[in-house]
Amino acid sequence: MRLPIRLRGVLLAMALLLAATAVVPVLLLGAAEGGGGGVVAPAPPFNSSRVKAVSWSPRIFVYKGFLSDAECDHLVRLGKDKVRRSMVADNQSGKSVMSEVRTSSGTFLDKRQDPVVSRIEERIAAWTFLPEENAENIQILRYEHGQKYEPHFDYFHDKVNQARGGHRYATVLMYLSTVDKGGETVFPTAKGWESQPKDDTFSECAQKGLAVKPVKGDAVLFFSLHVDGVPDPLSLHGSCPVIEGEKWSAPKWIHVRSYENSPDMEVETEGCTDKSQYCAQWAAAGECGKNPVYMVGTEGSPGQCRKSCKVCDS
């Protein structure tokens, strides 16, 4: 029996709608932590209709609901007991140093650390159209009251960090918690930022540029380089001080070339050096065991304090 044309059209529209909103296979959250029976929760499907361009100079996009609540909570659990004072790259030497410019705490996860992390990394590659091997490990950041990151660039000024994978081309910043007030990501030199509507729910810091509020599950994608590979000075950005609440976020930096298989990595690992003047102090405090990803490193990704952690020949 042939269905009327109008009814066939309605059924076809319903089928397309269901396909577009179909939930991808469920993930087992918490299994990697050794707890009994993880939480079964669906990973949100990739849905380009949730992406909004908020600036073209620089290129900035916001994806509403990029992560599920369960995924956000899982990433926080992975990093909560390992976060340590965040570092910045020195513009001359390229070494990681402490600075009042950045007062958050952070730690790095392993790539493909568990099924949840793997699926998030795959989703980032699908959104950005950039290969997973070009990306650094996901970092977990915690900002408590008053903590911030002054405006800075994600591309490098030193040749040391550029040697591995080249400049950071794009950043995907995932929000793992909603901040009651403050903690916005601000772009103070974005063109036309003055026209962004703002009310008193935005902090004073956020009033001085194009600002994105940290909302749990949302993600921001912005490009630090122009399409021709030239650094974009308009990509200057910072994290406003947290005024009320606590901010958890997870940046993923993506380079112009492979970060995992850089030809310079072999040269880098031949020697036995520390990349920070604080390495001996951190090692004495037990950081080699508490924060091994940062201090020692992982396969193909050497850490910052290999000499002080005594994992290589001096």
Side-chain angles (χ1 to χ4, degrees):
M1 181 180 68
R2 293 179 59 84
L3 296 173
I5 294 177
R6 178 176 296 181
L7 179 56
R8 279 186 285 166
V10 171
L11 293 175
L12 176 60
M14 291 178 63
L16 292 173
L17 178 61
L18 289 172
T21 58
V23 176
V24 297
V26 298
L27 301 177
L28 186 62
L29 303 185
E33 298 169 331
V39 178
V40 177
F46 181 77
N47 187 346
S48 59
S49 67
R50 294 184 178 182
V51 181
K52 178 182 178 182
V54 296
S55 171
W56 291 105
S57 297
R59 291 170 290 157
I60 308 171
F61 305 87
V62 174
Y63 190 133
K64 303 295 293 182
F66 182 73
L67 300 178
S68 68
D69 281 357
E71 287 175 321
C72 292
D73 295 342
H74 181 72
L75 293 181
V76 171
R77 283 196 299 269
L78 290 179
K80 195 165 191 175
D81 295 331
K82 298 179 180 179
V83 292
R84 299 293 182 269
R85 175 66 184 270
S86 297
M87 314 290 283
V88 298
D90 181 76
N91 286 340
Q92 279 69 48
S93 67
K95 293 183 177 180
S96 297
V97 297
M98 282 189 183
S99 171
E100 288 305 308
V101 166
R102 187 184 194 187
T103 55
S104 61
S105 301
T107 188
F108 283 92
L109 305 180
D110 289 336
K111 277 195 174 182
R112 299 171 281 276
Q113 179 165 327
D114 61 27
V116 180
V117 173
S118 295
R119 287 303 297 268
I120 293 171
E121 291 171 333
E122 291 171 4
R123 206 178 311 146
I124 290 172
W127 180 18
T128 62
F129 289 97
L130 297 171
E132 290 184 54
E133 69 177 71
N134 287 25
E136 297 182 34
N137 300 31
I138 291 176
Q139 187 181 36
I140 306 298
L141 292 175
R142 178 186 187 184
Y143 291 85
E144 298 178 274
H145 181 266
Q147 292 185 334
K148 41 78 177 175
Y149 195 174
E150 295 287 351
H152 60 282
F153 300 106
D154 278 356
Y155 58 78
F156 298 112
H157 292 85
D158 65 277
K159 298 297 183 182
V160 175
N161 285 296
Q162 290 182 44
R164 183 176 179 185
H167 276 306
R168 287 170 173 167
Y169 180 61
T171 300
V172 174
L173 176 61
M174 298 165 280
Y175 298 120
L176 309 182
S177 67
T178 297
V179 181
D180 296 330
K181 189 163 187 179
E184 302 94 343
T185 303
V186 63
F187 297 82
T189 57
K191 285 188 177 180
W193 70 263
E194 299 89 348
S195 62
Q196 182 186 24
K198 294 193 181 81
D199 54 27
D200 57 6
T201 63
F202 285 86
S203 68
E204 181 180 354
C205 162
Q207 302 284 350
K208 301 173 183 177
L210 189 152
V212 180
K213 288 186 175 182
V215 176
K216 186 176 183 178
D218 289 358
V220 181
L221 164 64
F222 61 91
F223 292 85
S224 296
L225 307 184
H226 293 292
V227 291
D228 59 1
V230 175
D232 183 359
L234 297 182
S235 66
L236 182 74
H237 62 283
S239 180
C240 291
V242 172
I243 299 173
E244 296 177 12
E246 183 178 62
K247 177 182 177 181
W248 286 90
S249 62
K252 180 82 162 174
W253 294 294
I254 309 169
H255 293 248
V256 297
R257 298 190 301 274
S258 174
Y259 186 79
E260 292 182 3
N261 304 305
S262 172
D264 297 284
M265 287 171 56
E266 294 181 5
V267 177
E268 184 180 355
T269 56
E270 284 179 1
C272 189
T273 60
D274 289 334
K275 298 180 182 179
S276 172
Q277 60 181 321
Y278 299 101
C279 282
Q281 176 182 338
W282 293 335
E287 292 301 311
C288 298
K290 296 176 184 176
N291 196 6
V293 174
Y294 178 84
M295 297 286 286
V296 177
T298 59
E299 183 178 355
S301 180
Q304 302 292 304
C305 302
R306 292 171 58 80
K307 182 178 180 180
S308 290
C309 289
K310 298 180 174 57
V311 295
C312 53
D313 296 329
S314 57

Short mmCIF file of all heavy atoms in Angstrom, two decimals, residues 25 82 93 108 183 193 249 253 274 289:
data_model
loop_
_atom_site.label_atom_id
_atom_site.label_comp_id
_atom_site.label_asym_id
_atom_site.label_seq_id
_atom_site.Cartn_x
_atom_site.Cartn_y
_atom_site.Cartn_z
N PRO A 25 26.67 5.62 21.38
CA PRO A 25 26.75 4.57 22.39
C PRO A 25 27.16 5.10 23.76
O PRO A 25 27.94 6.04 23.87
CB PRO A 25 27.81 3.62 21.82
CG PRO A 25 27.70 3.81 20.35
CD PRO A 25 27.39 5.27 20.16
N LYS A 82 45.36 15.77 41.80
CA LYS A 82 46.68 15.90 41.18
C LYS A 82 47.04 17.33 40.80
O LYS A 82 48.17 17.59 40.40
CB LYS A 82 46.75 15.01 39.93
CG LYS A 82 46.57 13.53 40.23
CD LYS A 82 46.62 12.70 38.96
CE LYS A 82 46.45 11.22 39.26
NZ LYS A 82 46.46 10.40 38.02
N SER A 93 63.52 31.70 27.28
CA SER A 93 64.10 30.36 27.37
C SER A 93 63.13 29.27 26.97
O SER A 93 63.54 28.17 26.60
CB SER A 93 64.57 30.10 28.80
OG SER A 93 63.46 30.04 29.69
N PHE A 108 48.01 17.50 33.90
CA PHE A 108 47.73 16.96 32.58
C PHE A 108 47.26 15.51 32.69
O PHE A 108 47.75 14.74 33.52
CB PHE A 108 48.98 17.01 31.69
CG PHE A 108 49.29 18.38 31.15
CD1 PHE A 108 50.15 19.23 31.85
CD2 PHE A 108 48.73 18.82 29.97
CE1 PHE A 108 50.44 20.49 31.36
CE2 PHE A 108 49.02 20.09 29.47
CZ PHE A 108 49.88 20.92 30.16
N GLY A 183 35.35 34.59 36.43
CA GLY A 183 35.89 33.43 35.74
C GLY A 183 35.66 33.41 34.24
O GLY A 183 35.93 32.40 33.59
N TRP A 193 34.25 44.15 20.19
CA TRP A 193 33.82 43.62 21.48
C TRP A 193 32.89 44.58 22.21
O TRP A 193 32.05 44.16 23.03
CB TRP A 193 35.03 43.28 22.36
CG TRP A 193 35.81 44.47 22.87
CD1 TRP A 193 36.94 45.00 22.34
CD2 TRP A 193 35.52 45.27 24.03
NE1 TRP A 193 37.37 46.08 23.07
CE2 TRP A 193 36.52 46.26 24.13
CE3 TRP A 193 34.51 45.23 24.99
CZ2 TRP A 193 36.53 47.21 25.14
CZ3 TRP A 193 34.53 46.18 26.01
CH2 TRP A 193 35.53 47.16 26.07
N SER A 249 38.13 23.89 34.44
CA SER A 249 38.13 23.93 32.98
C SER A 249 39.18 22.96 32.45
O SER A 249 40.02 22.45 33.20
CB SER A 249 38.42 25.35 32.47
OG SER A 249 39.70 25.77 32.89
N TRP A 253 45.23 22.15 23.60
CA TRP A 253 45.97 22.95 22.62
C TRP A 253 46.34 22.09 21.43
O TRP A 253 46.84 20.97 21.59
CB TRP A 253 47.22 23.54 23.27
CG TRP A 253 46.91 24.53 24.34
CD1 TRP A 253 46.31 25.75 24.20
CD2 TRP A 253 47.18 24.39 25.75
NE1 TRP A 253 46.19 26.38 25.41
CE2 TRP A 253 46.71 25.58 26.39
CE3 TRP A 253 47.78 23.39 26.52
CZ2 TRP A 253 46.83 25.78 27.75
CZ3 TRP A 253 47.88 23.59 27.89
CH2 TRP A 253 47.41 24.77 28.50
N ASP A 274 66.43 19.32 33.56
CA ASP A 274 65.18 19.85 34.09
C ASP A 274 64.81 21.10 33.30
O ASP A 274 65.69 21.85 32.87
CB ASP A 274 65.33 20.22 35.57
CG ASP A 274 65.46 19.01 36.47
OD1 ASP A 274 64.96 17.94 36.08
OD2 ASP A 274 66.07 19.13 37.55
N GLY A 289 56.04 11.43 42.20
CA GLY A 289 55.02 10.39 42.36
C GLY A 289 53.61 10.93 42.32
O GLY A 289 52.70 10.28 41.82
#
